[in-house]
Amino acid sequence: MKKKTISNFSKIILLVVGLVCSLFVSTILADLLLYNSLNLYSNAIISLIVGAVIILLFTFLTRLYSASLLHASVTEIIRVALISAALLVSLTVVNLIEDKTSFPWAVIVSGVFFIFACLIISSCRVMHLIKIKMLKSNCADGKKVLIVGAGIAGTTILREIQTSDKLDICAVGFVDDDPHKIGTTIMGIKVLGNCEQIVKIAKDTAADLIIIAIPTTSAKNIKRISQLCLQTNCEVKTLPGLYQLIDGDVSVSRLRDVDVQDLLGRDPVKVNLDEVMGYIEEQVVLVTGGGGSIGSELCRQIATHNPKQLIILDIYENNAYEIEQELKRKLPNLNLLTLIASIRDSGKMDDVFKTYHPDIVFHAAAHKHVPLMETSPNEAVKNNVLGTYKVVKCADKYGVKKFVQISTDKAVNPTNIMGATKRVCEMIIQAFSRKSKTQFVAVRFGNVLGSNGSVIPLFKKQIAEGGPVTVTHKDIIRYFMTIPEAVSLVLQAGAYANGGEIFVLDMGEQVKIYDLAVNLIKLSGYEPDKDIEIKVTGLRPGEKLYEERLMAEEGLEKTANDRISIGKPIEMDDEHLFATLEKLYDEAYSESEKMKDLVKELVPTYKIDRRSV
């Protein structure tokens, strides 16, 4: 339904009537104030008629009827001043022609001054009353909006709502935590209360939509407000961020749905990109697993930092092709090479390093699905451990400058074979760093939102199918970070690398997966356990209730970025490690049934889940 507006014809009638009335009232008022009496001059009616004609004429000439005097600017004031000046001139001419039989000069001058004031006051008041009437009419037909934040962004959103005839919505109130704003009125809309009252205010105003318009606030506050909004039955939208205010680009079209990231309560990670560019620029960079969720984002960010050549290596051709085509479209001048190969293939890995001589390697290739690896431990070892071992040996042999291993918090006191194999990879990295000129480092972080195998895409798919949404345990918690954030920290950790470090990313507070499921259902417009069932299925083999970032032996050392810390290297017998790796190779390719026990010999902190043995 199209929003109701005031036609230009109606504006003209209202303005002319109001302004002519102002002429009569102000003339009489001036006479009374100056002479303390009302004098009826013989030709006063002629002057008043002339004044009315002048007002009508200049209302058209200045297009005053098209202006929004409710939000009058200097331009509108100038238009009114022109009408007043024209009145002064015309009445003066009439007075000269009539030769003192009309108004006294003092009445004319003071009268015009009063007219100017009356023009502004009456016009604004008339337009304000009509505006309120139209708003009430629109609210009866359209979607009712509650705006959180009575600042610059909220006021800008309100102005667009009120002035656009393309939006079938109307504002019913503001909510703001500033006590000085509560009870005040902004452009006819009242600040009804603070954020803690959102649920009550939304119910009282029968709001359909809540807009969070406070892009300058902290992520923690956005989380608090979003959770309060989710307790209502309203649709919830928010502005993308502070840069929208900086660019002056705050509008209804920029609103987006509140998503899971808003509910993490963590400020975005900041990375010094200059440091990243310094060591990547004009270097040949190889990304293994370059088609995966982490690997492809690594490729995106590396590609914008002027590498001499970017090599995408992946065994899965579809993903590799997808990121290759994306980069070719966005960066046609990028020196890009895509190779389909397995990191398990010793001959192929040697050929890649010998042919292309990468300066920097980001090793993201790995099997990562915990439940799948629990039933295929030999494949986990073949790919994660032995594949990494082969790539590391090639990096050492061909003089790679930096080698960054993508690890996981599941490597800490692992309860699954995937985590245990990633811990072995960290051990390989540290062992080689003690004997190689290559700077070998690992970066350890938790779950990333939206990655392949992440719980978020699974939940979204289950919601789309009508449920149930499955959670393995009501108390299970995990660290979360967005893919771009995690990758930017990985890149910066590479800049800090000296060799042998395990960089640990600060991912903020852990998030309860059950709460994540509840919020996702609400964000999708459904009621948990009413519209969409949440089903607790029990912990899967190898799954922990919570993850850890450090082992007991490791301490943390800070870096220049407070979101990146360094875990102290743990002493180990390198010769024993390499001998055991040879044994693992034989056993894995012999399809041993005792692979988990063999891995535990290398990783004593590994607690085998016997349910999947």
Side-chain angles (χ1 to χ4, degrees):
M1 181 181 294
K2 192 174 181 179
K3 183 180 287 188
K4 297 180 181 179
T5 58
I6 309 170
S7 69
N8 283 340
F9 179 76
S10 300
K11 288 182 179 179
I12 293 169
I13 298 299
L14 287 166
L15 274 172
V16 170
V17 170
L19 299 183
V20 171
C21 288
S22 297
L23 173 61
F24 281 88
V25 171
S26 58
T27 303
I28 294 170
L29 183 61
D31 202 25
L32 287 171
L33 289 175
L34 288 170
Y35 299 104
N36 199 27
S37 64
L38 182 60
N39 300 302
L40 298 175
Y41 304 99
S42 59
N43 292 313
I45 193 67
I46 297 174
S47 296
L48 292 174
I49 291 172
V50 169
V53 171
I54 292 298
I55 288 176
L56 181 60
L57 177 63
F58 274 80
T59 296
F60 277 100
L61 291 177
T62 61
R63 295 180 62 82
L64 186 64
Y65 61 85
S66 66
S68 176
L69 290 176
L70 182 58
H71 311 295
S73 66
V74 175
T75 303
E76 281 69 52
I77 302 300
I78 291 173
R79 290 176 181 178
V80 174
L82 283 173
I83 294 176
S84 300
L87 274 172
L88 179 60
V89 171
S90 62
L91 292 178
T92 300
V93 171
V94 170
N95 217 38
L96 289 171
I97 294 173
E98 298 297 327
D99 190 24
K100 294 188 178 181
T101 58
S102 187
F103 294 113
W105 294 107
V107 173
I108 291 174
V109 174
S110 57
V112 169
F113 173 79
F114 284 125
I115 289 169
F116 176 77
C118 287
L119 289 178
I120 294 294
I121 295 170
S122 64
S123 299
C124 286
R125 184 59 183 163
V126 168
M127 299 306 292
H128 177 70
L129 291 173
I130 296 299
K131 189 76 174 178
I132 293 299
K133 184 178 180 181
M134 290 298 103
L135 286 175
K136 287 181 178 178
S137 177
N138 288 328
C139 278
D141 301 328
K143 185 179 289 186
K144 297 183 176 108
V145 180
L146 184 64
I147 302 174
V148 180
I152 296 173
T155 303
T156 304
I157 292 293
L158 175 61
R159 181 175 290 110
E160 184 176 356
I161 290 173
Q162 290 188 342
T163 57
S164 174
D165 60 355
K166 297 179 181 178
L167 298 173
D168 185 25
I169 57 178
C170 73
V172 293
F174 277 104
V175 173
D176 200 290
D177 280 332
D178 185 347
H180 297 99
K181 292 181 180 178
I182 296 173
T184 61
T185 300
I186 301 172
M187 295 160 59
I189 302 300
K190 191 174 181 180
V191 182
L192 300 171
N194 60 36
C195 292
E196 295 300 325
Q197 299 171 297
I198 283 176
V199 177
K200 181 179 183 302
I201 293 171
K203 183 178 180 181
D204 292 345
T205 58
D208 305 298
L209 169 66
I210 299 176
I211 295 176
I212 302 174
I214 41 175
T216 57
T217 194
S218 67
K220 187 175 182 179
N221 198 35
I222 287 291
K223 175 185 177 181
R224 176 181 71 91
I225 293 169
S226 297
Q227 288 177 331
L228 287 167
C229 291
L230 289 178
Q231 295 177 33
T232 71
N233 293 321
C234 300
E235 181 184 358
V236 185
K237 291 187 179 292
T238 186
L239 286 170
L242 176 60
Y243 72 90
Q244 298 289 348
L245 275 181
I246 295 171
D247 294 341
D249 192 12
V250 176
S251 68
V252 173
S253 63
R254 290 287 180 177
L255 294 173
R256 63 166 174 81
D257 292 334
V258 170
D259 59 26
V260 175
Q261 188 176 341
D262 297 311
L263 301 172
L264 293 183
R266 180 176 48 73
D267 290 317
V269 170
K270 296 178 181 178
V271 171
N272 185 345
L273 294 179
D274 291 335
E275 289 182 305
V276 175
M277 293 174 67
Y279 79 97
I280 285 177
E281 191 169 356
E282 291 302 315
Q283 303 295 303
V284 177
V285 184
L286 169 65
V287 180
T288 70
S293 50
I294 296 296
S296 61
E297 183 61 27
L298 275 167
C299 291
R300 289 185 191 97
Q301 295 194 29
I302 291 167
T304 61
H305 295 147
N306 303 313
K308 182 179 180 180
Q309 184 180 37
L310 173 59
I311 303 172
I312 301 172
L313 188 145
D314 204 296
I315 188 61
Y316 185 44
E317 60 183 298
N318 291 347
N319 283 349
Y321 176 78
E322 191 172 319
I323 184 63
E324 177 195 54
Q325 294 305 305
E326 177 187 329
L327 293 178
K328 282 183 176 180
R329 288 192 306 271
K330 294 180 179 178
L331 300 164
N333 296 323
L334 175 67
N335 184 354
L336 180 64
L337 175 67
T338 302
L339 300 174
I340 303 302
S342 171
I343 58 172
R344 301 185 189 188
D345 189 333
S346 303
K348 182 61 178 178
M349 288 302 99
D350 191 83
D351 181 66
V352 168
F353 280 80
K354 181 172 65 177
T355 303
Y356 302 105
H357 290 283
D359 300 296
I360 302 170
V361 175
F362 290 94
H363 183 48
H367 285 326
K368 302 181 181 74
H369 290 262
V370 169
L372 295 181
M373 292 304 99
E374 283 301 285
T375 54
S376 302
N378 289 308
E379 294 305 307
V381 170
K382 290 175 190 176
N383 201 65
N384 294 0
V385 175
L386 302 176
T388 297
Y389 187 31
K390 290 170 184 178
V391 177
V392 165
K393 285 197 292 184
C394 288
D396 175 51
K397 178 180 177 180
Y398 291 100
V400 168
K401 296 176 184 176
K402 290 180 185 284
F403 186 104
V404 181
Q405 164 75 30
I406 306 300
S407 192
T408 171
D409 55 6
K410 292 177 176 61
V412 180
N413 300 321
T415 57
N416 52 71
I417 190 66
M418 193 282 284
T421 57
K422 296 297 271 187
R423 175 57 192 150
V424 176
C425 292
E426 293 180 351
M427 295 165 68
I428 293 170
I429 291 298
Q430 291 189 319
F432 266 85
S433 71
R434 287 188 276 269
K435 70 184 188 72
S436 175
K437 292 182 180 179
T438 299
Q439 296 174 336
F440 287 100
V441 299
V443 182
R444 185 190 291 165
F445 55 90
N447 296 275
V448 286
L449 292 170
S451 67
N452 294 331
S454 167
V455 71
I456 306 300
L458 174 62
F459 283 172
K460 287 183 176 179
K461 187 175 291 186
Q462 290 175 333
I463 292 169
E465 293 172 351
V469 171
T470 56
V471 178
T472 58
H473 196 286
K474 207 162 186 176
D475 297 324
I476 194 168
I477 54 177
R478 290 290 182 268
Y479 291 108
F480 279 100
M481 184 177 282
T482 67
I483 295 174
E485 284 177 324
V487 166
S488 63
L489 288 174
V490 167
L491 290 169
Q492 191 168 34
Y496 297 153
N498 290 314
E501 301 99 335
I502 295 178
F503 291 98
V504 182
L505 305 189
D506 178 3
M507 304 190 74
E509 298 179 2
Q510 295 196 69
V511 177
K512 187 175 283 190
I513 301 298
Y514 187 87
D515 292 345
L516 204 60
V518 169
N519 289 330
L520 262 179
I521 292 171
K522 288 183 176 180
L523 287 173
S524 302
Y526 301 106
E527 188 68 25
D529 287 323
K530 183 177 179 182
D531 303 317
I532 302 288
E533 178 191 0
I534 300 178
K535 186 176 181 180
V536 178
T537 59
L539 288 175
R540 299 172 298 179
E543 190 172 37
K544 288 196 223 181
L545 275 179
Y546 61 93
E547 301 292 358
E548 305 161 87
R549 297 194 303 147
L550 287 173
M551 291 181 285
E553 308 96 308
E554 296 176 317
L556 282 180
E557 178 185 335
K558 288 292 183 181
T559 67
N561 188 327
D562 60 5
R563 304 302 292 268
I564 305 175
S565 301
I566 303 173
K568 294 178 182 178
I570 296 175
E571 295 296 326
M572 68 182 82
D573 185 341
D574 293 349
E575 293 302 320
H576 173 68
L577 170 65
F578 294 129
T580 306
L581 289 176
E582 297 300 325
K583 182 179 179 182
L584 283 179
Y585 182 92
D586 293 335
E587 293 292 336
Y589 282 95
S590 297
E591 301 301 333
S592 171
E593 295 182 357
K594 297 182 179 181
M595 183 52 63
K596 292 182 180 180
D597 293 298
L598 294 171
V599 171
K600 185 173 174 60
E601 292 179 17
L602 272 180
V603 186
T605 57
Y606 172 29
K607 298 176 182 178
I608 301 174
D609 189 332
R610 296 295 174 182
R611 290 178 298 168
S612 58
V613 174

